[in-house]
Amino acid sequence: MRVLDPYAHPGVDRKAQLHCHSTGSDGRYPPEAVVERYRQLGFSFVAITDHDTVTDASRLSDHACCVIPGVEVTVPRPVRPFGPHLGCLFVHRPPQARTAQAAIWEVVQAGGVAGLNHPSWTGNLWTARWGTSEVRSLRGFHFVEVWNPHSDPELDTRRWVQAVRWCGPEHPVAPVAADDFHRDGQLGRGWVVVRVPSVTAAALREALLRGAAYATTGPQAAFGVRKGAVWVESDAGEVRFYRACGRMVHRVRRGCAQYEPAPQDGFVRVECHGATGHAWSSAFWVLPDP
């Protein structure tokens, strides 16, 4: 068998915020102030994803921080503002489709990357959840938020694992943690770390499509495959390995650990638990060696 390593690409691990808001919709601060705040926290990528409108702040990019155009679209149920939220990155206008699948394909055709925001959020009069059957039927999206301050991380992680399992190894789905920043007190609570060769929009897009990212609310980590074993080095105090079915197969009460997958695992994912929060790796698929 062989283990697919989503991080087996040259590059440097950099911080990215893929979900935040400005005065372009319901955020408190203008784009310039939002980007500057993340720049001061050491972020290399910032995507301003205002509600149902694209606030293009790419002019604020420089060699150290790349600002990505994006939008958080409400999928109407039956009409806006009711419905779940679809994260759309690298797009210059909101998708016009009225169904989730059609909106995802519209984003993909425009060269963008789509994802499911806060799957278990109960807002919009309980219409905003991404249900199990819907996640199972959707195709073409490349990330799911496993942590958002407005959602339940346990349920969101479950949705992400289901999406990974249903989409398969040919279509990676990355875990994302996000601030969903609107106002003071919501900055720097959740983000993703991406493996990129350069601080450019194209490099970030390719990393997300490959699943070369991990979500975190604080712990730092490095993941990979060495001699057939999935390994992790983290500053978290505990490392847990899970197989595709959701069962935990190995736990180590220190930040450095490894696990050699078995064929029946399907895929292996890693969670790092520490005093500063949690980190979630992408999936390491276990496949027959051709």
Side-chain angles (χ1 to χ4, degrees):
M1 68 179 187
R2 58 194 175 104
V3 182
L4 296 184
D5 183 358
Y7 305 100
H9 302 276
V12 176
D13 287 350
R14 297 186 181 273
K15 293 172 69 175
Q17 180 57 242
L18 304 182
H19 186 174
C20 61
H21 299 273
S22 75
T23 50
S25 61
D26 58 349
R28 179 175 180 180
Y29 296 98
E32 295 82 0
V34 174
V35 172
E36 182 58 29
R37 285 185 166 218
Y38 280 109
R39 194 191 307 271
Q40 292 177 1
L41 290 177
F43 280 79
S44 297
F45 299 96
V46 179
I48 296 180
T49 53
D50 282 323
H51 293 282
D52 299 313
T53 185
V54 175
T55 303
D56 192 349
S58 55
R59 69 188 184 282
L60 302 175
S61 297
D62 59 23
H63 70 282
C65 184
C66 182
V67 183
I68 305 299
V71 59
E72 185 176 25
V73 170
T74 303
V75 178
R77 285 184 180 170
V79 296
R80 295 187 179 98
F82 304 110
H85 290 177
L86 184 73
C88 310
L89 307 176
F90 312 100
V91 296
H92 295 279
R93 70 181 188 92
Q96 303 301 304
R98 295 186 58 82
T99 68
Q101 186 61 78
I104 291 171
W105 290 136
E106 190 174 337
V107 170
V108 171
Q109 290 169 2
V113 177
L116 311 184
N117 288 355
H118 39 61
S120 65
W121 181 47
T122 58
N124 295 351
L125 295 181
W126 293 83
T127 65
R129 283 191 170 188
W130 291 101
T132 300
S133 60
E134 186 170 29
V135 174
R136 185 171 188 169
S137 66
L138 293 174
R139 292 296 181 268
F141 62 96
H142 274 280
F143 66 87
V144 174
E145 287 186 351
V146 296
W147 191 92
N148 182 295
H150 307 298
S151 200
D152 183 328
E154 183 175 341
L155 293 177
D156 293 347
T157 298
R158 195 178 305 163
R159 289 289 182 275
W160 166 64
V161 171
Q162 292 168 341
V164 171
R165 189 163 60 239
W166 292 326
C167 290
E170 300 84 6
H171 191 93
V173 179
V176 165
D179 283 345
D180 201 351
F181 173 68
H182 288 78
R183 57 191 62 87
D184 293 335
Q186 299 176 333
L187 190 75
R189 298 175 63 187
W191 62 93
V192 294
V193 177
V194 292
R195 177 74 53 85
V196 291
S198 60
V199 183
T200 62
L204 175 62
R205 179 179 179 275
E206 287 303 312
L208 293 175
L209 293 178
R210 292 194 307 262
Y214 71 86
T216 181
T217 59
Q220 299 181 34
F223 305 94
V225 175
R226 185 184 297 133
K227 296 182 179 180
V230 177
W231 62 266
V232 57
E233 296 178 358
S234 174
D235 58 3
E238 181 175 291
V239 175
R240 302 174 184 175
F241 294 83
Y242 294 85
R243 59 173 45 162
C245 67
R247 177 187 171 192
M248 184 171 64
V249 292
H250 188 46
R251 179 171 66 176
V252 178
R253 295 191 181 278
R254 61 180 183 275
C256 300
Q258 67 178 24
Y259 170 74
E260 186 170 347
Q264 63 268 25
D265 287 339
F267 63 77
V268 172
R269 64 180 184 87
V270 187
E271 288 187 12
C272 304
H273 295 249
T276 59
H278 297 168
W280 298 255
S281 80
S282 283
F284 295 82
W285 280 91
V286 183
L287 302 175
D289 197 354

